[in-house]
Amino acid sequence: MNTSLIIGVDAGGTHGKLVAVLADGTVLDTGVCEGLNYNAIGMAQARARLKLAVDKLLAKIGCTDYDGLSLGLSALDARADDATTASFAGDVFPTSKLLLDSDAYAALIGGLLGKSGVIAISGTGAMVLGLDENKKQHVIGGWGYKLDEPGGGYGVAIEGLKAALMSLEQIGPDTELGRSALDFLGVGDARGLINALYEEGREPAGIAKFARVVDRLAEAGDSISMEIAAGQMAILARMTGKVLERCPHRLCLHGGMFEHSGQMRRLFLQELSSLCADIEMHEMELPPELGAVLMHMMEHGTLTDEIVTRMKHTWERRTT
Amino acid sequence: MNTSLIIGVDAGGTHGKLVAVLADGTVLDTGVCEGLNYNAIGMAQARARLKLAVDKLLAKIGCTDYDGLSLGLSALDARADDATTASFAGDVFPTSKLLLDSDAYAALIGGLLGKSGVIAISGTGAMVLGLDENKKQHVIGGWGYKLDEPGGGYGVAIEGLKAALMSLEQIGPDTELGRSALDFLGVGDARGLINALYEEGREPAGIAKFARVVDRLAEAGDSISMEIAAGQMAILARMTGKVLERCPHRLCLHGGMFEHSGQMRRLFLQELSSLCADIEMHEMELPPELGAVLMHMMEHGTLTDEIVTRMKHTWERRTT
């Protein structure tokens, strides 16, 4: 039995999830930490947060060191180059043991267990990532908050808030979104709504929560909310269709919006089916932090079916 | 002759313009300074920059003090309350001599010489401000960069960049905006475009310059650019129409986009004329920094036609 230890990390913007796995696939334990997006908090803080969480996890399983540390990072949209890896590692993590790729890639690897295919992610942001037969990555989306990232919670929320303002100022169609946006932000009128968005500490992730309101009003039949939901999912579907052109037609869906909204999922799949035939839908087989572990094993040519089977088995035992 | 001295300031985000005027309306001299938006640079720096510019202007005209300091501030969207005024003044400016209102209000007062009416502003941002018969202010717009502020350069630019990305990723209609956006940002592909927008030092004002490209391509017949220009001006026209419902039908246009683009002006007025009849168009009679001086005089009940005439006369002599 190979007892070498690999730590996989799903390094998101609001929190990170860690998992410790033996080289034979046995899942030992998990951990969490604060957000690790170094574009938002800087390399030094991301490194310090991760170090703390890794040490804590090692202590939990009674180990003093690891053989591989593999991260899916929300700050990246492809494999990190040597300079980025060195900068992230500092003098804390040995670069020889460190592997950094995008959080979307780790999610895709976990979702399809390393097989080629496509993942459509709709969380706070939205992004579509594919892996073709030659293991080349294809990415569309991930526009970020400046371009209102269509297809994720933030994009839906911003469209909803714009429609709310238009309605409140009577320069656009009437919609329930007007009153709901005032309630959501705890303000009394359109000027208050605008000012609230620029208050200190009002982060994109907080604004993105308004997507749930848009989703709920769309379910209840508010026509403007329905238009927004359908429009945003149509863009994400077009992105997904374009990536599917270049990759095997295996698709899994990931992210909070897909997890929590049957409506968004349905709107997305409806539009996608009109663009692209013969799609093989997959549930996420393993979560992104285990995807990061698989990523490490693929990189070192050690991944086998037996390992995957053991990983799934020991993971499911933990979570059920 | 009343020799008391009033300093008016158009306090924008990228620069400030100062003017020194005698109480009888005689324009003495002008000055400039860096941006004074304290939401962006903090109260202390805004105060320091203004102090420097006021002292310089006083030295130029051989004075040691002033009787009124009146600002139209881009950080405000209404008259400042006492706490804000005191915070801005610090221990540098006597609050008894200080008057702070929005830059839009100073522009409106300058544009219509204190008469009730409406100003539609399309610069980097966009906002519509009206003054009704009871001198009450009505404002629509000024959504800021988070909501892509429709009707100004930033809103046009963001719509243009979204369309460019859609075209480059082949998930939206083909448009010249794709190639032009890559040139504008000096990048080679869609991923480069996204990354460039998040580079350090990439400010909304810089991104807003892409509006000129959208404007040019619309003139040249690019259909997506034409749609964006018309759509954005339609929203600004609806905002303007709504404010005109509450105010006398005198309208002046202000801001870089209206100044530099006959096309945007035309699209705006076309849409507005379908919403609202009997609009009396006015050229901007005096610039916002002189509007700030008028604001001070109105506040103190000293404004007369004679003063306005002298101000216009001595101002025109300076600028022609």
Side-chain angles (χ1 to χ4, degrees):
Chain A
M1 177 177 146
N2 186 339
T3 57
S4 81
L5 181 71
I6 302 151
I7 295 178
V9 188
D10 179 25
T14 49
H15 56 255
K17 291 183 185 173
L18 290 80
V19 65
V21 180
L22 291 179
D24 69 357
T26 307
V27 176
L28 296 181
D29 216 326
T30 62
V32 291
C33 64
E34 289 180 280
L36 295 171
N37 187 328
Y38 58 73
N39 286 335
I41 57 171
M43 285 287 188
Q45 196 172 355
R47 190 187 306 126
R49 285 181 180 179
L50 181 62
K51 170 70 173 152
L52 205 70
V54 166
D55 286 349
K56 213 166 142 186
L57 182 55
L58 286 174
K60 250 168 103 177
I61 58 177
C63 289
T64 54
D65 202 4
Y66 57 83
D67 302 280
L69 176 59
S70 182
L71 280 81
L73 269 164
S74 54
L76 289 172
D77 70 356
R79 180 65 53 98
D81 56 25
D82 290 345
T84 306
T85 305
S87 167
F88 184 86
D91 50 9
V92 168
F93 300 111
T95 52
S96 60
K97 297 180 179 180
L98 193 61
L99 184 64
L100 308 179
D101 208 309
S102 73
D103 58 341
Y105 183 67
L108 172 62
I109 296 300
L112 295 177
L113 299 178
K115 284 201 205 75
S116 298
V118 176
I119 189 167
I121 303 174
S122 176
T124 296
M127 194 173 202
V128 183
L129 179 75
L131 199 62
D132 69 19
E133 297 291 13
N134 302 315
K135 300 294 173 191
K136 187 172 178 301
Q137 293 190 28
H138 300 269
V139 56
I140 296 188
W143 295 9
Y145 65 93
K146 289 195 185 178
L147 297 173
D148 310 335
E149 200 150 54
Y154 189 74
V156 170
I158 289 291
E159 288 305 308
L161 290 168
K162 284 183 184 179
L165 266 176
M166 297 276 224
S167 171
L168 292 168
E169 298 279 32
Q170 297 175 275
I171 54 169
D174 193 40
T175 161
E176 280 298 314
L177 286 165
R179 175 57 47 197
S180 300
L182 298 182
D183 290 348
F184 176 79
L185 292 165
V187 296
D189 60 16
R191 301 318 298 172
L193 192 163
I194 296 168
N195 291 333
L197 291 179
Y198 295 89
E199 273 166 11
E200 224 180 296
R202 182 81 63 185
E203 300 296 327
I207 294 173
K209 294 205 171 82
F210 189 63
R212 296 180 196 170
V213 178
V214 180
D215 187 35
R216 184 169 47 74
L217 290 176
E219 284 276 17
D222 179 75
S223 64
I224 299 295
S225 301
M226 288 164 73
E227 258 176 49
I228 292 170
Q232 291 273 312
M233 286 304 114
I235 297 176
L236 190 60
R238 291 208 299 277
M239 290 175 169
T240 307
K242 193 46 71 176
V243 176
L244 280 164
E245 283 178 15
R246 299 163 194 155
C247 300
H249 281 196
R250 293 183 200 99
L251 176 65
C252 56
L253 308 186
H254 185 57
M257 192 125 91
F258 280 144
E259 275 158 37
H260 302 129
S261 171
Q263 171 178 240
M264 292 291 186
R265 216 173 157 108
R266 196 170 59 247
L267 288 166
F268 170 80
L269 290 174
Q270 232 163 40
E271 181 74 19
L272 186 62
S273 69
S274 76
L275 297 172
C276 189
D278 304 321
I279 300 169
E280 198 181 293
M281 291 299 300
H282 289 251
E283 290 300 310
M284 288 284 292
E285 295 268 8
L286 288 170
E289 58 271 32
L290 281 172
V293 173
L294 294 181
M295 195 168 91
H296 172 95
M297 291 173 169
M298 286 164 70
E299 188 70 15
H300 292 81
T302 59
L303 189 63
T304 64
D305 289 347
E306 192 195 340
I307 291 175
V308 170
T309 305
R310 190 172 294 114
M311 201 182 287
K312 287 193 70 169
H313 184 67
T314 51
W315 175 254
E316 276 156 19
R317 213 167 42 192
R318 287 187 59 84
T319 51
T320 52
Chain B
M1 175 178 147
N2 186 339
T3 57
S4 82
L5 181 72
I6 302 150
I7 295 177
V9 187
D10 179 24
T14 48
H15 56 255
K17 291 182 185 176
L18 291 80
V19 65
V21 180
L22 291 178
D24 69 356
T26 307
V27 176
L28 296 180
D29 216 327
T30 61
V32 291
C33 64
E34 289 178 279
L36 295 170
N37 187 330
Y38 57 74
N39 286 336
I41 57 171
M43 285 289 188
Q45 195 171 356
R47 189 187 305 125
R49 284 181 181 179
L50 181 62
K51 172 69 172 151
L52 204 71
V54 166
D55 286 350
K56 211 166 144 187
L57 180 56
L58 287 173
K60 250 168 102 177
I61 58 176
C63 290
T64 53
D65 204 4
Y66 58 83
D67 302 280
L69 178 59
S70 183
L71 281 80
L73 268 165
S74 54
L76 290 171
D77 69 358
R79 180 66 51 99
D81 57 24
D82 290 346
T84 306
T85 306
S87 167
F88 184 88
D91 51 8
V92 167
F93 301 111
T95 51
S96 62
K97 298 180 179 180
L98 192 60
L99 185 63
L100 308 181
D101 209 310
S102 72
D103 58 341
Y105 184 66
L108 171 62
I109 297 301
L112 296 177
L113 298 177
K115 284 201 206 74
S116 298
V118 176
I119 189 167
I121 303 175
S122 176
T124 296
M127 193 173 203
V128 183
L129 180 76
L131 200 62
D132 69 20
E133 296 290 13
N134 302 316
K135 301 291 172 192
K136 185 171 178 306
Q137 293 189 28
H138 301 269
V139 57
I140 297 189
W143 295 9
Y145 65 92
K146 288 194 186 179
L147 297 173
D148 311 335
E149 200 151 53
Y154 189 73
V156 170
I158 290 292
E159 289 305 308
L161 290 168
K162 284 183 186 181
L165 265 177
M166 297 275 225
S167 170
L168 292 168
E169 299 279 33
Q170 296 173 275
I171 53 168
D174 194 39
T175 162
E176 280 298 312
L177 285 164
R179 174 58 45 193
S180 300
L182 298 183
D183 290 349
F184 177 78
L185 291 164
V187 295
D189 59 17
R191 301 319 297 173
L193 192 163
I194 295 168
N195 292 332
L197 291 178
Y198 295 89
E199 274 166 12
E200 225 181 295
R202 182 81 60 184
E203 300 296 327
I207 294 173
K209 294 206 170 83
F210 189 63
R212 297 180 196 170
V213 178
V214 179
D215 187 36
R216 184 168 47 74
L217 290 176
E219 283 278 17
D222 178 76
S223 64
I224 299 295
S225 302
M226 287 164 74
E227 260 177 47
I228 292 170
Q232 291 274 310
M233 287 303 114
I235 298 176
L236 191 59
R238 292 208 299 277
M239 291 175 169
T240 307
K242 192 47 70 177
V243 176
L244 280 164
E245 283 178 17
R246 300 161 193 157
C247 301
H249 281 196
R250 292 182 201 101
L251 176 66
C252 57
L253 308 185
H254 186 56
M257 192 125 90
F258 280 144
E259 275 158 36
H260 300 131
S261 172
Q263 172 178 241
M264 292 290 185
R265 217 173 156 110
R266 193 169 61 246
L267 288 166
F268 170 80
L269 290 172
Q270 231 162 41
E271 182 75 18
L272 185 62
S273 68
S274 75
L275 298 172
C276 189
D278 304 321
I279 300 168
E280 199 181 291
M281 292 299 301
H282 288 251
E283 289 300 311
M284 289 284 290
E285 295 269 9
L286 287 170
E289 58 271 32
L290 281 171
V293 173
L294 295 179
M295 197 168 90
H296 173 95
M297 292 173 169
M298 288 165 69
E299 188 71 13
H300 291 82
T302 59
L303 189 64
T304 65
D305 289 346
E306 194 195 339
I307 290 175
V308 170
T309 306
R310 190 172 294 112
M311 201 183 286
K312 286 193 69 169
H313 184 68
T314 52
W315 175 254
E316 277 157 17
R317 212 168 42 195
R318 286 188 58 82
T319 50
T320 51

